[in-house]
């Protein structure tokens, strides 16, 4: 069964392909399975982005853009294997401040989110202290505020129309809308 984290991961990949390369295609159950397997294997999004970029570029040179997520599978598998091999015996880079993204976001706060500044600051503060940060109330505020946003509504409608019928569920649409807003405004992850 899918939960918020796997939905987020899958939707971010679909959104990346749309926003970065303007590629949209019907998402079948088979495509969803490919994306879910990537999530299960915990393939980092940076590896996926690099793989997607390479396959799209090759497709453009051949005038044949990819039309299914399975078209990316070989490149993703190859790049993930390289990533894993690089990690063997290597030292993990420790960030000097793991919460720097929060501070940078608050310092360059998007004016469109002013209504949620205190909520975000409180969530970031809890995260810094290692406390559980429940984004639920903030997410509801975001959804309410941007409910009539034409761009978001068009993107969400496109997304749902390009999903297999069995996947067109309110919880998936909700995750899509939230991921879109977090990505659009560059809100750092609370994970």
């Amino acid at each position: 069964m899918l939960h918020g984290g796997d939905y987020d991961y899958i939707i971010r990949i679909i959104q990346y392909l749309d926003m970065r390369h303007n590629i949209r295609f019907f998402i079948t159950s088979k495509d969803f399975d490919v994306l879910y397997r990537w999530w299960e294997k915990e393939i980092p999004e940076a590896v996926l982005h690099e793989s997607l970029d390479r396959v799209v570029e090759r497709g453009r040179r051949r005038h044949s853009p990819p039309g299914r997520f399975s078209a990316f599978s070989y490149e993703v598998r190859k790049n993930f294997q390289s990533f894993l091999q690089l990690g063997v015996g290597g030292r993990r880079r420790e960030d000097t401040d793991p919460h720097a993204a929060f501070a940078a976001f608050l310092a360059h706060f998007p004016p469109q989110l002013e209504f949620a500044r205190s909520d975000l600051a409180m969530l970031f503060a809890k995260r810094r202290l290692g406390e559980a940060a429940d984004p639920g109330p903030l997410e509801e505020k975001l959804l309410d505020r941007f409910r009539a946003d034409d761009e978001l509504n068009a993107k969400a409608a496109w997304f749902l129309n390009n999903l297999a019928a069995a996947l067109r569920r309110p919880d998936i649409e909700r995750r899509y809308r939230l991921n879109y807003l977090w990505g659009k405004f560059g809100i750092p992850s609370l994970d």
Side-chain angles (χ1 to χ4, degrees):
M1 168 150 232
L2 294 175
H3 304 289
D6 42 10
Y7 280 164
D8 290 343
Y9 180 90
I10 290 167
I11 291 169
R12 279 193 307 269
I13 296 166
I14 295 168
Q15 287 174 328
Y16 178 81
L17 203 56
D18 176 23
M19 290 182 206
R20 170 80 178 207
H21 298 290
N22 202 29
I23 292 179
R24 303 174 191 103
F25 48 78
F26 185 78
I27 309 297
T28 65
S29 295
K30 185 177 178 180
D31 290 316
F32 207 80
D33 289 343
V34 168
L35 295 166
Y36 189 75
R37 278 193 302 278
W38 294 346
W39 175 79
E40 285 180 318
K41 292 178 181 179
E42 298 180 6
I43 298 175
E45 288 184 46
V47 170
L48 289 173
H49 293 174
E50 180 181 336
S51 301
L52 297 175
D53 293 346
R54 285 182 184 173
V55 172
V56 167
E57 182 55 36
R58 275 196 306 263
R60 288 204 169 122
R61 283 194 308 261
R62 296 178 190 153
H63 303 289
S64 176
R68 296 277 165 254
F69 275 101
S70 57
F72 299 99
S73 292
Y74 173 76
E75 190 73 26
V76 168
R77 187 172 40 255
K78 182 177 77 170
N79 289 339
F80 186 51
Q81 287 302 316
S82 295
F83 170 81
L84 291 175
Q85 289 173 357
L86 287 174
V88 175
R91 267 198 260 166
R92 190 174 156 210
R93 188 182 135 247
E94 294 294 328
D95 291 330
T96 54
D97 181 3
H99 306 293
F102 301 151
F105 178 78
L106 291 172
H108 302 287
F109 201 81
Q112 303 94 318
L113 296 181
E114 199 57 50
F115 70 95
R117 181 188 286 270
S118 62
D119 297 294
L120 282 161
M122 186 256 323
L123 286 172
F124 294 160
K126 282 186 171 187
R127 184 68 179 106
R128 263 189 223 103
L129 296 171
E131 297 176 14
D134 176 19
L138 170 66
E139 290 176 343
E140 291 308 316
K141 268 187 178 180
L142 286 170
L143 291 171
D144 284 344
R145 175 60 65 108
F146 293 99
R147 189 169 314 284
D149 184 88
D150 292 336
E151 180 182 4
L152 175 56
N153 290 335
K155 295 267 187 188
W158 165 84
F159 174 73
L160 289 173
N161 287 333
N162 285 294
L163 283 178
L167 301 172
R168 293 181 195 148
R169 299 191 321 252
D171 54 332
I172 291 179
E173 178 183 6
R174 182 179 189 281
R175 290 296 350 145
Y176 178 88
R177 288 175 175 275
L178 287 168
N179 283 340
Y180 176 83
L181 292 168
W182 281 60
K184 177 179 180 173
F185 295 113
I187 303 171
S189 173
L190 295 171
D191 297 334

